[in-house]
């Protein structure tokens, strides 16, 4: 029997690029455990919010990140646009990133491999991952997707508001000094602007296969 090295797939990209959907589909395809690392930052943001604290307060945010209540990961407010802002702000503090590092690194280091999606998986959490994707789409397309998703959950934000949020979050996530959103030098670029989900998933599997240097696993 040929032993495979652990397959770690790093999927990074900006908000609403389709990276979560793609990462989940890759996890199913390769039968690997999956972690949405954005949920950790979202849970930290939510804890800060629920405690009435200031997300710009690095100490308060880091304290929240050190003891994330697992129940918050399933909170209906986790994915709201207000909480997206809190998550993006708390994630800019180096102490928050440090507090959440071990959990993510341990998940990526499982013996059989794993799929993780986020902003710094290919650059910081799993820099040696054999397969890395950087998933993107135009801000306008990402805003349309996020707007439809929020509307489906009863949100009342206009498309213009969602687009403004996307621009603000892109600027914050890319402009911060601690582990900014960045395409790793060895990450394959996948622009999903003109792709539906099935086409994006097929393209991502093809890119992973190419990164692994084979036609099948
Ligand atoms: O992937 P998401 O939109 O759910 O992430 C929410 C916020 O968390 C995002 O604005 C930036 C931050 N984040 C991060 O800094 N690093 C990650 N690996 C994942 C998310």
């Amino acid at each position: 029997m040929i032993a495979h090295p652990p397959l770690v797939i790093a999927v990074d990209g900006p908000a609403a690029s389709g990276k979560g959907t793609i990462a989940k589909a890759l996890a199913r395809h390769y039968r690997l455990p999956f972690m949405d690392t954005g949920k950790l930052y979202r849970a930290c943001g939510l804890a800060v919010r629920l405690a009435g604290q200031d997300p710009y307060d690095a100490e308060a945010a880091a304290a929240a990140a050190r003891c994330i209540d697992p129940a918050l990961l399933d909170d209906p407010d986790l994915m709201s646009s207000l909480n997206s802002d809190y998550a993006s702000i708390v994630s800019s503090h180096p102490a928050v990133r440090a507090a959440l590092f071990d959990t993510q690194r341990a998940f990526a280091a499982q013996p059989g491999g794993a799929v993780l999606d986020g902003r710094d998986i290919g650059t910081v959490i799993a820099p040696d991952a054999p397969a890395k994707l950087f998933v993107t789409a135009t801000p306008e397309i990402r805003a349309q997707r996020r707007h439809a998703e929020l509307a489906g959950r009863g949100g009342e934000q206009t498309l213009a508001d969602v687009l403004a949020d996307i621009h603000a979050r892109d600027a914050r996530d890319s402009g911060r000094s601690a582990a900014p959103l960045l395409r790793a030098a060895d990450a394959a670029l996948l622009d999903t602007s003109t792709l539906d989900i099935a086409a994006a998933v097929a393209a991502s599997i093809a890119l992973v296969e190419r990164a692994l240097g084979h036609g099948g696993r």
Side-chain angles (χ1 to χ4, degrees):
M1 199 174 102
I2 301 166
H4 293 288
L7 175 51
V8 179
I9 306 178
V11 184
D12 290 302
S17 56
K19 67 184 185 313
T21 304
I22 285 171
K24 269 182 231 145
L26 287 171
R28 267 196 307 274
H29 182 80
Y30 291 102
R31 296 174 196 219
L32 292 170
F34 163 67
M35 177 181 265
D36 172 356
T37 64
K39 280 191 165 187
L40 298 175
Y41 292 94
R42 286 175 177 275
C44 174
L46 186 55
V48 165
R49 246 178 84 203
L50 293 174
Q53 292 167 321
D54 178 359
Y56 290 100
D57 179 342
E59 265 316 300
R66 280 184 217 110
C67 55
I68 297 277
D69 174 359
L72 289 184
L73 297 170
D74 296 317
D75 192 288
D77 204 15
L78 198 70
M79 307 308 287
S80 70
S81 47
L82 176 59
N83 202 53
S84 299
D85 270 347
Y86 269 71
S88 173
I89 295 166
V90 297
S91 74
S92 67
H93 302 307
V96 167
R97 308 199 72 83
L100 299 176
F101 179 85
D102 286 350
T103 305
Q104 298 173 79
R105 179 55 74 81
F107 195 88
Q110 293 178 76
V115 181
L116 295 90
D117 89 67
R119 301 291 189 288
D120 62 343
I121 308 303
T123 50
V124 175
I125 302 297
D128 298 329
K132 299 181 184 177
L133 299 184
F134 191 86
V135 182
T136 190
T138 64
E140 290 72 21
I141 295 284
R142 291 189 282 125
Q144 281 171 23
R145 291 177 185 159
R146 183 50 55 91
H147 182 252
E149 182 194 325
L150 292 171
R153 280 191 270 120
E156 287 173 1
Q157 267 191 309
T158 64
L159 181 58
D161 284 346
V162 176
L163 180 59
D165 276 358
I166 291 260
H167 280 305
R169 210 136 73 86
D170 281 358
R172 203 184 293 116
D173 293 346
S174 306
R176 68 183 179 220
S177 51
L181 168 65
L182 202 64
R183 177 183 168 195
D186 53 350
L189 183 67
L190 177 60
D191 187 329
T192 65
S193 300
T194 60
L195 303 179
D196 64 15
I197 291 177
V201 169
S204 65
I205 291 172
L207 289 171
V208 169
E209 288 298 314
R210 193 188 303 166
L212 298 176
H214 49 66
R217 184 174 139 87

